[in-house]
Amino acid sequence: MRMRRIAPIAAAVAGALVLTACSGGGDGDGDGGNGGGDGAALESLTIMAPYFAEVPPESDDPVGTALSEVAGVPLEIQWVPNSAYGERINTVLAGDDIPDVMVITGKDQGFVSTALAGGFWDLTEYLQSGDYPNLVSENPDVELASGVNGQIFGVYRARDVIRASVILRQDWLDNLGLELPETTDDLYEIARAFTEDDPDGNGEDDTYGMIAPQWPGGIGSNSPYDTIDVWYGSGNMWRDDGGELIPAFTTPEWREAVEFERDLVQNGYVNPDYATMDPATWNEPFLNGDGGIILDVQSRATQLADLFEQQEEGSAADKVALAGQLSGPNGTFALPTTGYAGFLAIPRSSIQTEEQLEQVLQMLNDLNTTEAQNLMNHGIEGDNFTVEDGYAVFNPERQDFTDQVTGAWAQLGMNVAGYNAYPIQPRTEFLGELGDLRLQLQDEDLANAVFNPAAGLVSDTYTTTGTQLDNIIGDARIQYLAGQIDEAGLDEAVERWRTTGGDQVTTEINELYSQLG
């Protein structure tokens, strides 16, 4: 693998970790890691993790006690407010009091440089050995994407791989005699009908088809436009073209998709304030009967159904419909997420021998059991929840404790081999049916998922300028949809992307891609 230039701050962090590891580390005292320099077996496991709850768990928290029993050693958790977590990571890595395991929330420049400099254990062979069955990923594409240039430096925290969906007003479909869409052409016709054919039957021209908010990010941010791009076969950020990766927005299929999106906008089938609408108000036009289609994650359908139920019990089944991927003119493709939200990494300065590493991996393996998943996500059975008909039912009198569990201990959940904790009891029968449909669509659409082949590759240039580069294309797309620029203007944006760092990113990404084998 070619040598990488380490930025000054990142180099200091990497150097601190590597030098600490070489010096023999601490003696196990204090709040840091417990590996020690003598290679002795760990008598406890220190983990640094973020929390989202109002307050972190107490030291004698019953969930922590139960998880310690599962792991076989006391767990000492260094809880950090999520709002301050990124800063704390840099502070801890630059010091000499390093925990045994760290939740890393993103592959920023500091982490990547530190990992490639030897500051974290490369877990690739260990995780693929099968010695830790609960750490064997059920989706190798996601595990590869969580890594750095083919090396896996942490056990990733799994999230739904398939989330993109089409959410529609069921009553409008029924009023117009329309079925759920199966293709992008179907979607276009429904958007037209929802705009022009009086779907609410009030005799007024006061509805539109698709609801799209201002999207906070450029290309590759899982926007409704990215979903349509993938449906058209553009690829997901990058596409393998004969063994070479090319940007998805340089493909003919991407241009076809943008033309489709432009037609929707120019014909008035999208809310007129699509470029400025506050994403926080995305549900309102759907609930109020102004618009009838949302392209977003499946969980929004559940959220909308629950809001309708709060307005009128039993109304959601008549108001909310859910469809998965749509076939485009060039085939059937589904947009996946990255499939993970950070990972648990093991610093070499705390865990210094292979024997200690194997001990930690066995603990993490045990913390991925069904028992541990229930503890991390639900808490203590018989206290804050009970099990009824296979569902977790929470005790309302213990809601504060339940919120603390899900806002803190769940952040340690990896679930890479699958999520097996009890499902939460749905509030209504329809919400349960919608939950089952989500799982069905996830299984069906996963077969056509188009993963970003460069997701696990770290380009130096992209690390420093990626946001600006993505926004060049994202902004140009919005301008093109609005008619503010023509095809020549779109071409100019692509050329600006190339000359301001895009070509260098492409070169670096392909150098790394060629080394994956």
Side-chain angles (χ1 to χ4, degrees):
M1 181 173 295
R2 65 189 179 89
M3 295 298 292
R4 301 171 58 87
R5 179 178 60 83
I6 301 179
I9 294 179
V13 172
L17 272 177
V18 175
L19 287 174
T20 303
C22 293
S23 69
D27 58 5
D29 295 330
D31 296 328
N34 297 280
D38 58 1
L42 275 65
E43 297 180 357
S44 65
L45 185 70
T46 303
I47 304 175
M48 190 175 90
Y51 70 91
F52 290 79
E54 291 187 7
V55 294
E58 299 287 344
S59 58
D60 59 349
D61 179 83
V63 174
T65 300
L67 287 170
S68 294
E69 293 178 0
V70 171
V73 298
L75 299 181
E76 299 176 0
I77 312 300
Q78 299 174 356
W79 295 111
V80 180
N82 184 65
S83 59
Y85 197 73
E87 181 180 351
R88 179 67 66 85
I89 287 177
N90 292 331
T91 300
V92 168
L93 291 183
D96 58 1
D97 197 19
I98 314 296
D100 303 320
V101 176
M102 299 178 67
V103 174
I104 302 296
T105 53
K107 290 187 291 185
D108 61 17
Q109 186 176 18
F111 171 78
V112 169
S113 299
T114 301
L116 292 177
F120 289 93
W121 281 93
D122 180 351
L123 305 180
T124 310
E125 294 183 2
Y126 296 95
L127 297 180
Q128 295 174 356
S129 69
D131 293 339
Y132 313 97
N134 294 330
L135 302 183
V136 176
S137 172
E138 65 178 355
N139 195 316
D141 287 301
V142 173
E143 184 171 70
L144 185 63
S146 74
V148 178
N149 303 337
Q151 295 175 274
I152 310 302
F153 290 104
V155 182
Y156 69 85
R157 302 188 299 173
R159 298 294 185 267
D160 289 341
V161 176
I162 297 295
R163 301 181 70 196
S165 66
V166 188
I167 307 163
L168 307 100
R169 284 285 298 238
Q170 181 66 61
D171 52 342
W172 289 12
L173 290 172
D174 293 339
N175 290 345
L176 299 177
L178 298 171
E179 301 293 331
L180 286 173
E182 296 182 358
T183 68
T184 52
D185 286 344
D186 294 341
L187 178 66
Y188 189 90
E189 171 54 23
I190 293 173
R192 183 208 63 76
F194 279 8
T195 306
E196 299 177 351
D197 294 350
D198 191 21
D200 57 5
N202 68 354
E204 302 290 336
D205 182 16
D206 58 358
T207 60
Y208 49 82
M210 191 175 301
I211 309 166
Q214 179 186 31
W215 200 260
I219 55 170
S221 55
N222 284 349
S223 71
Y225 312 111
D226 294 327
T227 300
I228 293 172
D229 296 345
V230 170
W231 285 343
Y232 264 73
S234 68
N236 183 358
M237 285 295 286
W238 296 86
R239 190 168 82 182
D240 188 317
D241 185 25
E244 178 182 2
L245 296 186
I246 61 173
F249 59 83
T250 64
T251 65
E253 292 85 354
W254 190 82
R255 286 298 180 96
E256 284 185 70
V258 173
E259 287 299 324
F260 174 86
E261 296 155 8
R262 180 184 170 102
D263 284 347
L264 286 169
V265 169
Q266 293 296 313
N267 286 316
Y269 303 157
V270 180
N271 52 298
D273 60 343
Y274 69 94
T276 58
M277 175 183 165
D278 184 353
T281 66
W282 201 354
N283 289 339
E284 293 177 11
F286 194 96
L287 293 169
N288 297 336
D290 296 326
I293 305 169
I294 291 178
L295 303 187
D296 193 33
V297 296
Q298 296 168 338
S299 58
R300 186 171 294 276
T302 303
Q303 182 184 90
L304 287 163
D306 192 57
L307 290 171
F308 276 118
E309 288 292 316
Q310 293 176 33
Q311 292 178 358
E312 181 183 354
E313 187 173 348
S315 66
D318 297 326
K319 298 291 180 58
V320 179
L322 177 65
Q325 70 185 11
L326 302 183
S327 296
N330 304 303
T332 302
F333 311 98
L335 173 65
T337 68
T338 58
Y340 74 99
F343 38 84
L344 275 67
I346 305 173
R348 294 184 67 107
S349 58
S350 297
I351 305 303
Q352 296 183 16
T353 69
E354 187 170 12
E355 290 75 18
Q356 291 174 339
L357 174 64
E358 291 172 350
Q359 186 184 0
V360 173
L361 289 174
Q362 184 58 54
M363 293 176 192
L364 296 181
N365 181 80
D366 294 339
L367 291 173
N368 268 281
T369 59
T370 300
E371 178 185 4
Q373 290 179 5
N374 278 311
L375 286 166
M376 289 179 183
N377 291 279
H378 302 324
I380 304 298
E381 184 176 349
D383 181 3
N384 61 305
F385 83 99
T386 56
V387 180
E388 299 178 17
D389 299 324
Y391 290 103
V393 180
F394 293 108
N395 178 0
E397 296 180 358
R398 295 284 281 156
Q399 190 61 51
D400 288 346
F401 178 57
T402 300
D403 291 343
Q404 189 180 66
V405 170
T406 57
W409 290 109
Q411 303 311 308
L412 300 182
M414 294 155 276
N415 314 322
V416 295
Y419 180 73
N420 301 308
Y422 296 115
I424 299 173
Q425 185 184 54
R427 199 165 61 82
T428 68
E429 181 178 354
F430 177 68
L431 288 173
E433 293 173 354
L434 198 58
D436 292 340
L437 176 58
R438 287 175 57 186
L439 295 176
Q440 175 188 331
L441 292 175
Q442 288 174 16
D443 287 341
E444 292 175 356
D445 293 354
L446 183 60
N448 297 306
V450 180
F451 289 92
N452 176 1
L457 305 178
V458 180
S459 150
D460 289 333
T461 302
Y462 188 81
T463 296
T464 57
T465 64
T467 299
Q468 298 93 310
L469 290 171
D470 291 344
N471 284 336
I472 289 174
I473 305 302
D475 291 347
R477 176 169 57 187
I478 293 297
Q479 293 167 357
Y480 184 71
L481 301 187
Q484 296 172 355
I485 62 174
D486 55 15
E487 285 195 54
L490 209 53
D491 291 337
E492 289 174 6
V494 173
E495 183 61 25
R496 188 163 68 254
W497 181 90
R498 293 185 186 281
T499 57
T500 56
D503 278 346
Q504 183 61 28
V505 170
T506 301
T507 298
E508 292 172 4
I509 286 291
N510 275 287
E511 286 180 5
L512 295 167
Y513 191 58
S514 67
Q515 296 168 16
L516 291 181

